[in-house]
Amino acid sequence: MAGLDALVVGQVCRDLVLLVDEVPGPSRTASVRRRRELLGGKGANQAVGLAQLGVRPGLLGVVGEDEVGDRLLGQARSDGIDVAPVLRRADTPSALIVDVVDAQAHWRYLEDIPEATLLTEADVAGAAEALTAARAVLVQLQQPLPAALAAARCARTADRLVVLDGAPGDPAGGTELLALADVLRADAREAGLIVGDPPADPEAGLRAGRKLLARGPSLAAVEVAGEGNAFVWPDGEVFVPLSDTPTVDTTGAGDAFVAALTVGLLRGEPYEQVARYAVAAAGATVGHAGGRPALTPEAIDAQLARLPAA
Ligand SMILES: Nc1ncnc2c1ncn2[C@@H]1O[C@H](COP(=O)(O)OP(=O)(O)O)[C@@H](O)[C@H]1O
Ligand SMILES: [Mg+2]
């Protein structure tokens, strides 16, 4: 566990991505144009993104003791992820997400995420060493609240950079979670769950960011659907529009975004630069099908060049 830069607490699953021209109606058939089978799940995607951006990630999640679990861990290892904290659970299949994407880039997810593949509070308690060894801990709020809270508490106590992605399921636990966070990143829907309404325009995104900031974090990043992302910190804010990259599938762009945000912060870059880097990583992910990021320096540079000048 020594030398880890970031530990990601979140989902690991098998991703089956199917590109079709059109999703068939009932009693209809569609040919699949392209199939990709990937290591997926938000936790794994974020860890892959971190590794691609040059930091050493670990992963805390759950897979089954099945062949799929073996394959997922093998892939994660070859991606440069420390999988020692990943739990293998007997008597459960590993999680599966089928991502069906049509020619208009509309996705539909079919999720088989058995309860036993979610993290428990006890799982997190057992991983205290990994949680305190890394400089940053990324917690995905799609995990059950007690597990997310336990991870954030443990990381905070050890004075680690605590990065949250998503929205807490219940408002009471959410208050403590936000107070424990250094960074909160929410897509438009998730931001709506916390502040009341999904932001409809850049000004509303910045307003939502300021509301989130008041609840604990020192950096809030809020998506405004179809427009871009608002970033707010105690003495500044910026709205970064989307790049003009043609979208094939937005899946995983949020995960790439979170990975890049974390890497920028670990490097001690100014918030404004971190913001552009995060949006560049998202933009570098929307042009391909499936959630797995492909964050090469060339891809990031090409995206930065497409963003309006700072
Ligand atoms: N063309 C684009 N350029 C830059 N960022 C984009 C573009 N299209 C979408 N994004 C960003 O990608 C992110 C998608 O986030 P999210 O819905 O959380 O994805 P996921 O949960 O599947 O990883 C949002 O922050 C959105 O603004
Ligand atoms: Mg997301």
Side-chain angles (χ1 to χ4, degrees):
M1 225 76 71
L4 280 191
D5 295 306
L7 183 80
V8 185
V9 180
Q11 186 183 60
V12 190
C13 72
R14 173 181 174 217
D15 246 354
L16 179 57
V17 186
L18 304 174
L19 280 181
V20 295
D21 286 338
E22 214 180 316
V23 176
S27 314
R28 294 275 178 241
T29 305
S31 294
V32 170
R33 292 224 156 272
R34 182 149 185 246
R35 169 182 10 161
R36 298 186 78 196
E37 297 205 44
L38 306 166
L39 164 67
K42 291 173 172 303
N45 288 341
Q46 291 177 13
V48 168
L50 288 163
Q52 291 171 342
L53 295 172
V55 313
R56 178 140 170 71
L59 183 58
L60 171 59
V62 184
V63 297
E65 274 178 3
D66 51 2
E67 224 178 280
V68 173
D70 293 342
R71 281 211 308 276
L72 295 176
L73 293 187
Q75 177 64 52
R77 270 187 217 103
S78 64
D79 283 320
I81 299 166
D82 183 343
V83 294
V86 174
L87 295 130
R88 304 287 312 248
R89 206 99 80 198
D91 306 323
T92 180
S94 295
L96 165 73
I97 298 181
V98 182
D99 174 17
V100 182
V101 190
D102 70 19
Q104 274 71 51
H106 294 130
W107 50 255
R108 290 166 179 84
Y109 301 149
L110 305 173
E111 301 188 330
D112 180 16
I113 303 174
E115 180 86 25
T117 64
L118 299 175
L119 285 164
T120 66
E121 209 176 338
D123 294 336
V124 173
E129 197 191 324
L131 280 161
T132 53
R135 292 167 60 208
V137 174
L138 289 70
V139 184
Q140 237 207 275
L141 301 187
Q142 291 81 358
Q143 292 294 312
L145 183 65
L149 261 177
R153 282 192 198 119
C154 181
R156 168 89 291 154
T157 307
D159 207 22
R160 300 315 184 209
L161 182 78
V162 179
V163 179
L164 305 183
D165 178 35
D170 103 69
T175 300
E176 184 187 346
L177 258 177
L178 292 180
L180 293 166
D182 292 295
V183 179
L184 175 74
R185 186 264 157 184
D187 71 22
R189 189 189 61 83
E190 293 158 347
L193 291 175
I194 310 175
V195 302
D197 287 304
D201 54 42
E203 196 38 60
L206 291 165
R207 257 197 323 273
R210 286 193 288 269
K211 278 193 194 164
L212 294 177
L213 209 66
R215 300 188 54 183
S218 45
L219 175 63
V222 176
E223 181 203 17
V224 178
E227 302 238 20
N229 292 269
F231 298 79
V232 179
W233 56 95
D235 55 358
E237 60 185 35
V238 63
F239 185 85
V240 185
L242 303 181
S243 80
D244 57 1
T245 309
T247 299
V248 174
D249 181 11
T250 59
T251 302
D255 301 327
F257 181 107
V258 171
L261 198 75
T262 304
V263 171
L265 292 172
L266 285 175
R267 289 190 199 137
E269 289 166 1
Y271 286 136
E272 207 139 350
Q273 192 178 332
V274 169
R276 293 171 62 78
Y277 192 54
V279 173
T285 307
V286 300
H288 61 249
R292 182 185 167 83
L295 302 177
T296 60
E298 297 74 30
I300 299 271
D301 286 347
Q303 285 293 322
L304 287 172
R306 296 173 94 131
L307 292 176

